[in-house]
Amino acid sequence: MSQLIPISTPLRGFKDHTAAIWAVAVFPDKRRMLTGSWDKTLRLWDLNTGLMLKKMKGHRIDVTTLAVSRDGRTIASGDENGELIAWHGETGESLITQPIKAHSKYISCLDFSPHGTVLATGSWDDTTTLWNTKTWQPQRNTIKCSDRVRSVRYSPSGQHLAIATNSNIEIYNPSSRRRVTNFKGHTVWNFSLAWTPDGTRLLSGGDVKDPSIREWDTSTWKQVGDPWMGHAGYIYTIAIHPAGTHVASASADNHVRLWRLSDRQSIAIFQHSGVACVTFSMNGKHILSGGGDNMISEWEVPDDTWPEEAPEKSASKVLSPTAEELFIQEISKLNSAADKQIQTLRQQYAGLSEAEGVIRNIINVQLDTAPLRLLNTATGLLCAREVQMRVFEASTEYKELLLHSVKHPDLRTQEHIAEVVATYFRCVMLSHRWGETEPLLHDIQDKVVYRLKAADSLMKLQLFCKIARDAGYHWAWVDTCCIDQKNNVELQKSLNSMFAWYHNSALTVVYLSDVPPSSKSGALAKSAWNTRGWTVPEFLAPKVIRFYQHDWSLYLGDDSPNHKESANIMDELQDATGITACALVTFQPGMRDAREKLQWASTRVTTVPEDVSYSLFGIFGVQLPILYGENKQNALGRLLQEIIARSGDVTALDWVGQPSMFNSCLPANISSYAAPPYTLPSLPEDEIQTVISSLQNTMAAGLASKLYDQLDNMSAPRFANCRLHLPCIVFRVTEVRRRRSPAQGTPFMYGVKADGLRDLLITTEETLIQFTPARRTLHTFFLVRPWDRRLLELPDFADSEQLPFADDEESLGDSSESESPLDDLPSDSPIEQELGDSDSHSRALRLMVRLVQPFSAFLLLQQRGGEYRRIASDHDIIAQVKDVASVHNIMGDVRTLEIL
């Protein structure tokens, strides 16, 4: 025979385990496979699609062996600690409340009796135990063996139980426990056993000093023929082809060998690194092997290995296809048809891979806006994104969707797919106040949440998942355990995405741990939850929200599906937060009304100081680096810098308190925004018109247009290297005199005079240099009015901008009809030009009137390098120009200052 060349490329690989696979079995339904791994888990697989159907957790240490009953209804698995778990063959759920301590040492092997009523377990504690699979109690005494047990196998009839130990091969009558015979077997250790389907032969595999397979006649227990040679290491597993014609063996020499039983010849070699286990598919056409590369490799049995006369070859092909497979098979036939009419028919259907690709792409789009990890509410397991996909692909919804997609490959189908996918992946989010011992990622990873010992925080997690599950949702998310807090990249992505996650959630559950059952209205406002920083975006972002009390009953007994539609609850939340009920229900993120939003967060507290600012990123629609340890002034400074630079909104500079080390124009604490901005008096419209009329046809009217153009051309405020470049109207301070403070220990009060301004008082904790026109100083002080473009009264195009989460289904209407006869005028017509000039002239005069009104100012002190520093005040500085004539002098004092 010519030398065999090892086959190194499998048909496909089954990848999901994270450690060596030490056991594999296929189900009698011919469609599923079970694997056990040193990653402490078992996994169920779909052999048709290659998808992982279920991860089975329960072992606390490496899974070393497994078995599936002949009818496929029961699964058993053993581990390195000697613990045994029984599982339901269909659902993969545990049949016992906790693992059974079956042996004192490593369980090396398992096998079910032919009728599945008994399970045999063999261990390195030199014993074999038989278990009743209904009660999961041991049957009578254990079998004391001669040495470590390596393999146990029932004969096909169940009349014999073969046990391979390090020293001997022992044959027992399992009913009587009587040993029928024992013999040496291999030179040193006996590693593996397998019976032929007719029970006339028993095969055994040896160790590295005798790496052979030996064949034993079960009527005489004598060896038949010579040892089967070819392997060069321990033979861990022997598998028999379902038809009894071939044998597969897995060895420590990194090879799987295929043997022909009739002549004991090795007819194919498959190269698999670290291989430890092997089995045949139920139809016998494929070999499945697992090992140290953490995957199952599927190998095709070469056609030329089958004898032409073997009737088993055709018999082994018999496999009952599903309706879906029959449909796909028919589509495949159409692919190769020559008839043009048939080819036209084929074009009406999509290929399976094409349909799978379309669905997968839509899933990817859906999950791109979802959290990275989600809790499966059915299993209680934390699932990464790839696992989420596999769970869906194993669901009935997916299979129905796949079949529908193959039959109807059109745009409407893609819309249907998107709808089904969005529905399946709907997620429930939790908003809560963190307790002292919240479960983190490492506490629940690879564990069933529902089975964990229910301490306070774990009970909260369990009950939240049950509420989500009972509401019909597959997925849930909690900030404590669904984020890897130690992974900076993941943490940053999560915190920057959190507002969108809450907004896209199907439901946000708010848990008020300190609100007792049957509480009356007002308890929500008093809850500690209502003081925390992160809860602000958590109740603004969601579209649907429900509040739960300490015992997980609904707040105020309100069982409506969305508490944002409850007037009572929203009114209470409005009173507690200062946020209008309308904003609570319809909030959209963005820069608009920045000063008001900062006030919402001004009294909130967080455990980590920087989080006060980070929690606002989503509210303002910004994404910035998360830099824990930078200190709260830097975090707030970076946020305010972004708001001012992007929006041009200078109201964020309207605060009282201590200045920030980040920039003196910004506050050190967000609490500086707690007081609402000073409400400036404004002229009624009729008085504005009266003043405008008095200015018409005067020199002031011409100056107003020039000043308007000058201010209109001012650049927007910007930051560079923490320096604020602020466009403003500047008033030089000509006198600073200290006044007596109203009480000892309070800030100093100064009388201040400035060119063009009425005299005013300023209070500050800083000691200012006093000077007068007669006693000058080298220091330069300015009172400045930050330039606010809203005074130009230009149209606010921001109203028509698409917001990040705005409803994009509104129509702009039919623009073909003219709203006014003037719409039909050419753009350069004299009438339109005259109207435009009149409107511009009116706006310029209105600006002149507005500049005469009181305004919020702040005091700047020039530094040696020519830059400026803001002098913080304990009260709002309200300034006012002396008269309209003073406005004329403004033109020379409109500039951009650089502020440190």
Side-chain angles (χ1 to χ4, degrees):
M1 172 182 283
S2 60
Q3 185 176 1
L4 296 174
I5 299 175
I7 299 169
S8 58
T9 304
L11 289 175
R12 59 175 170 168
F14 296 76
K15 299 179 182 179
D16 194 67
H17 281 295
T18 57
I21 298 173
W22 212 244
V24 61
V26 292
F27 283 74
D29 63 7
K30 307 174 184 178
R31 311 205 173 281
R32 292 180 299 151
M33 173 178 66
L34 179 70
T35 55
S37 168
W38 286 358
D39 63 11
K40 308 175 189 177
T41 69
L42 290 81
R43 282 166 167 75
L44 277 171
W45 305 83
D46 186 323
L47 285 170
N48 291 324
T49 64
L51 296 174
M52 196 270 286
L53 303 176
K54 187 178 183 65
K55 181 190 290 188
M56 299 157 60
K57 299 180 181 179
H59 286 285
R60 290 170 281 200
I61 199 167
D62 303 353
V63 176
T64 53
T65 183
L66 58 80
V68 176
S69 63
R70 307 296 198 270
D71 59 8
R73 294 181 180 179
T74 311
I75 298 167
S77 58
D79 66 29
E80 192 173 340
N81 274 347
E83 291 187 335
L84 171 71
I85 299 180
W87 314 80
H88 192 286
E90 287 294 328
T91 65
E93 295 294 324
S94 177
L95 297 174
I96 54 181
T97 56
Q98 59 183 9
I100 300 168
K101 186 61 176 176
H103 292 274
S104 61
K105 294 182 181 179
Y106 186 114
I107 297 178
S108 57
C109 48
L110 303 171
D111 198 27
F112 283 95
S113 64
H115 297 295
T117 56
V118 180
L119 175 74
T121 62
S123 168
W124 285 10
D125 64 6
D126 303 350
T127 66
T128 297
T129 303
L130 305 185
W131 302 81
N132 184 312
T133 56
K134 289 185 178 180
T135 64
W136 293 105
Q137 296 296 316
Q139 291 186 337
R140 294 182 288 176
N141 298 327
T142 61
I143 299 173
K144 181 62 179 175
C145 302
S146 58
D147 207 335
R148 281 186 177 180
V149 177
R150 296 284 184 177
S151 180
V152 293
R153 289 291 181 265
Y154 274 97
S155 66
S157 65
Q159 293 180 350
H160 292 107
L161 178 67
I163 302 174
T165 73
N166 281 355
S167 305
N168 298 302
I169 296 175
E170 304 173 12
I171 310 298
Y172 287 84
N173 180 324
S175 299
S176 65
R177 302 290 200 287
R178 183 178 63 85
R179 188 171 69 187
V180 176
T181 188
N182 73 303
F183 46 94
K184 178 61 179 173
H186 293 264
T187 305
V188 184
W189 290 351
N190 305 285
F191 250 84
S192 50
L193 295 171
W195 295 82
T196 58
D198 60 7
T200 61
R201 295 287 190 271
L202 177 68
L203 304 181
S204 63
D207 68 347
V208 68
K209 294 185 179 180
D210 181 10
S212 66
I213 295 176
R214 297 176 184 260
E215 182 179 354
W216 309 91
D217 185 328
T218 59
S219 62
T220 63
W221 301 112
K222 301 296 183 182
Q223 183 174 320
V224 178
D226 296 324
W228 304 9
M229 304 304 295
H231 281 303
Y234 300 93
I235 300 176
Y236 292 129
T237 312
I238 299 174
I240 306 290
H241 187 276
T245 55
H246 292 75
V247 175
S249 55
S251 169
D253 62 8
N254 297 325
H255 289 147
V256 172
R257 283 184 176 262
L258 178 65
W259 311 80
R260 196 163 41 232
L261 185 59
S262 59
D263 59 8
R264 307 176 185 87
Q265 293 297 311
S266 181
I267 52 179
I269 302 174
F270 308 96
Q271 186 171 316
H272 188 158
S273 177
V275 67
C277 54
V278 68
T279 190
F280 283 93
S281 62
M282 277 295 174
N283 65 2
K285 295 298 293 179
H286 298 98
I287 292 172
L288 301 154
S289 62
D293 58 357
N294 308 349
M295 65 180 280
I296 291 290
S297 293
E298 183 178 21
W299 312 92
E300 185 174 25
V301 177
D303 286 336
D304 59 3
T305 63
W306 300 98
E308 292 183 0
E309 69 277 10
E312 295 86 355
K313 177 181 177 182
S314 58
S316 67
K317 292 183 180 180
V318 177
L319 195 65
S320 300
T322 63
E324 290 90 344
E325 287 178 322
L326 286 172
F327 181 81
I328 299 302
Q329 289 174 11
E330 292 304 314
I331 294 297
S332 299
K333 292 178 182 178
L334 294 179
N335 281 336
S336 57
D339 188 280
K340 290 185 178 180
Q341 290 184 338
I342 294 179
Q343 291 177 356
T344 302
L345 177 63
R346 168 63 185 91
Q347 294 174 2
Q348 298 175 14
Y349 301 98
L352 182 61
S353 60
E354 179 185 348
E356 289 174 334
V358 170
I359 297 174
R360 174 58 76 118
N361 288 338
I362 292 175
I363 294 173
N364 285 332
V365 171
Q366 175 69 28
L367 294 184
D368 274 347
T369 58
L372 304 177
R373 295 183 182 84
L374 293 173
L375 284 158
N376 187 321
T377 61
T379 64
L381 292 170
L382 185 65
C383 300
R385 185 158 291 176
E386 190 62 32
V387 179
Q388 296 165 33
M389 291 186 181
R390 287 199 295 266
V391 171
F392 176 58
E393 289 169 349
S395 68
T396 302
E397 292 94 328
Y398 176 80
K399 293 171 183 174
E400 292 175 350
L401 199 58
L402 186 60
L403 184 59
H404 180 83
S405 302
V406 172
K407 289 183 176 181
H408 308 286
D410 52 29
L411 185 59
R412 287 186 178 180
T413 294
Q414 293 194 29
E415 294 172 354
H416 174 64
I417 293 171
E419 182 180 342
V420 172
V421 169
T423 300
Y424 184 87
F425 284 103
R426 291 179 303 172
C427 176
V428 180
M429 310 282 283
L430 179 66
S431 175
H432 65 121
R433 182 189 178 189
W434 278 43
E436 294 182 359
T437 56
E438 293 287 345
L440 302 178
L441 176 68
H442 67 269
D443 295 315
I444 71 163
Q445 198 161 31
D446 299 327
K447 298 174 185 175
V448 177
V449 165
Y450 299 127
R451 294 182 187 170
L452 297 176
K453 187 176 180 181
D456 288 345
S457 295
L458 274 171
M459 186 177 295
K460 173 172 64 175
L461 178 60
Q462 292 167 343
L463 292 173
F464 164 64
C465 288
K466 288 178 181 177
I467 281 178
R469 181 188 64 194
D470 294 345
Y473 299 104
H474 299 296
W475 306 102
W477 186 88
V478 184
D479 56 356
T480 53
C481 57
C482 294
I483 300 175
D484 186 352
Q485 309 284 342
K486 297 180 180 179
N487 185 324
N488 289 333
V489 175
E490 180 180 331
L491 183 62
Q492 176 156 310
K493 178 178 175 60
S494 298
L495 295 186
N496 270 315
S497 303
M498 204 169 291
F499 190 94
W501 291 349
Y502 275 95
H503 180 80
N504 294 328
S505 67
L507 167 67
T508 291
V509 168
V510 176
Y511 179 58
L512 308 171
S513 60
D514 55 355
V515 173
S518 305
S519 291
K520 303 300 182 183
S521 182
L524 167 59
K526 298 175 183 177
S527 172
W529 171 87
N530 208 30
T531 67
R532 309 302 295 177
W534 280 107
T535 58
V536 178
E538 290 171 6
F539 65 70
L540 285 175
K543 297 182 286 291
V544 180
I545 198 167
R546 299 185 96 191
F547 293 89
Y548 288 82
Q549 302 173 133
H550 176 73
D551 65 347
W552 290 92
S553 60
L554 287 163
Y555 182 58
L556 302 182
D558 188 334
D559 61 355
S560 60
N562 185 5
H563 285 172
K564 282 202 170 184
E565 297 175 355
S566 167
N568 290 337
I569 294 178
M570 289 300 103
D571 286 345
E572 182 179 350
L573 200 56
Q574 172 180 280
D575 294 340
T577 62
I579 305 173
T580 66
C582 179
L584 289 170
V585 174
T586 62
F587 179 81
Q588 296 288 347
M591 298 293 181
R592 186 182 299 278
D593 302 321
R595 179 61 175 76
E596 181 183 16
K597 292 171 182 173
L598 292 166
Q599 185 183 349
W600 294 346
S602 61
T603 59
R604 297 279 167 163
V605 294
T606 57
T607 303
V608 181
E610 295 93 335
D611 274 342
V612 171
S613 301
Y614 298 162
S615 66
L616 297 175
F617 285 5
I619 287 176
F620 286 102
V622 302
Q623 292 205 348
L624 297 171
I626 305 297
L627 305 172
Y628 283 117
E630 65 174 322
N631 73 52
K632 66 179 181 180
Q633 291 193 28
N634 252 40
L636 180 59
R638 289 194 298 116
L639 173 62
L640 296 175
Q641 169 183 274
E642 188 76 5
I643 292 170
I644 294 168
R646 282 179 51 179
S647 68
D649 186 352
V650 294
T651 61
L653 303 179
D654 188 357
W655 54 271
V656 293
Q658 295 299 313
S660 172
M661 297 295 291
F662 185 89
N663 185 280
S664 64
C665 258
L666 306 178
N669 298 290
I670 199 167
S671 58
S672 292
Y673 294 110
Y678 182 81
T679 304
L680 297 170
S682 59
L683 284 176
E685 182 62 28
D686 57 344
E687 291 188 31
I688 292 176
Q689 292 301 327
T690 299
V691 176
I692 290 175
S693 297
S694 68
L695 295 174
Q696 295 281 5
N697 303 318
T698 67
M699 184 179 294
L703 292 173
S705 295
K706 292 180 179 179
L707 179 60
Y708 187 96
D709 291 341
Q710 184 179 7
L711 291 172
D712 188 20
N713 290 323
M714 288 293 288
S715 60
R718 65 183 178 87
F719 275 88
N721 299 318
C722 298
R723 297 179 176 220
L724 172 61
H725 298 260
L726 181 68
C728 52
I729 302 172
V730 175
F731 303 88
R732 178 180 288 274
V733 175
T734 58
E735 181 175 311
V736 174
R737 287 179 180 268
R738 185 186 298 175
R739 303 286 181 88
R740 181 174 295 178
S741 300
Q744 190 171 0
T746 59
F748 296 112
M749 183 180 294
Y750 295 91
V752 177
K753 297 178 182 291
D755 289 338
L757 294 181
R758 297 180 182 180
D759 296 350
L760 67 158
L761 293 176
I762 294 176
T763 60
T764 177
E765 292 183 358
E766 290 200 40
T767 302
L768 302 182
I769 296 173
Q770 300 181 69
F771 62 94
T772 65
R775 192 177 65 185
R776 297 179 180 275
T777 178
L778 295 177
H779 293 83
T780 300
F781 288 87
F782 285 145
L783 278 167
V784 301
R785 176 176 192 162
W787 172 236
D788 189 343
R789 288 188 60 80
R790 289 178 298 179
L791 292 174
L792 295 175
E793 295 188 338
L794 295 171
D796 188 357
F797 295 107
D799 287 333
S800 61
E801 290 179 1
Q802 182 66 41
L803 293 168
F805 304 110
D807 186 352
D808 57 2
E809 295 180 0
E810 294 183 5
S811 171
L812 295 176
D814 186 355
S815 59
S816 61
E817 297 182 9
S818 295
E819 296 294 332
S820 163
L822 295 178
D823 292 338
D824 294 327
L825 291 173
S827 60
D828 57 350
S829 70
I831 296 177
E832 182 165 306
Q833 186 172 349
E834 183 178 343
L835 288 170
D837 291 343
S838 174
D839 183 53
S840 176
H841 185 66
S842 175
R843 283 203 302 267
L845 291 174
R846 289 179 68 87
L847 173 63
M848 182 77 77
V849 175
R850 288 182 180 278
L851 290 177
V852 177
Q853 303 307 303
F855 62 89
S856 290
F858 52 77
L859 183 63
L860 295 180
L861 173 61
Q862 190 173 31
Q863 305 298 292
R864 290 183 178 180
E867 312 94 341
Y868 294 83
R869 176 175 65 87
R870 179 174 176 174
I871 305 297
S873 173
D874 281 36
H875 293 83
D876 292 296
I877 301 175
I878 306 302
Q880 185 175 10
V881 297
K882 293 177 180 178
D883 48 38
V884 174
S886 299
V887 178
H888 301 166
N889 301 322
I890 288 177
M891 292 182 64
D893 291 312
V894 175
R895 64 182 83 172
T896 296
L897 300 181
E898 183 178 352
I899 305 174
L900 301 177

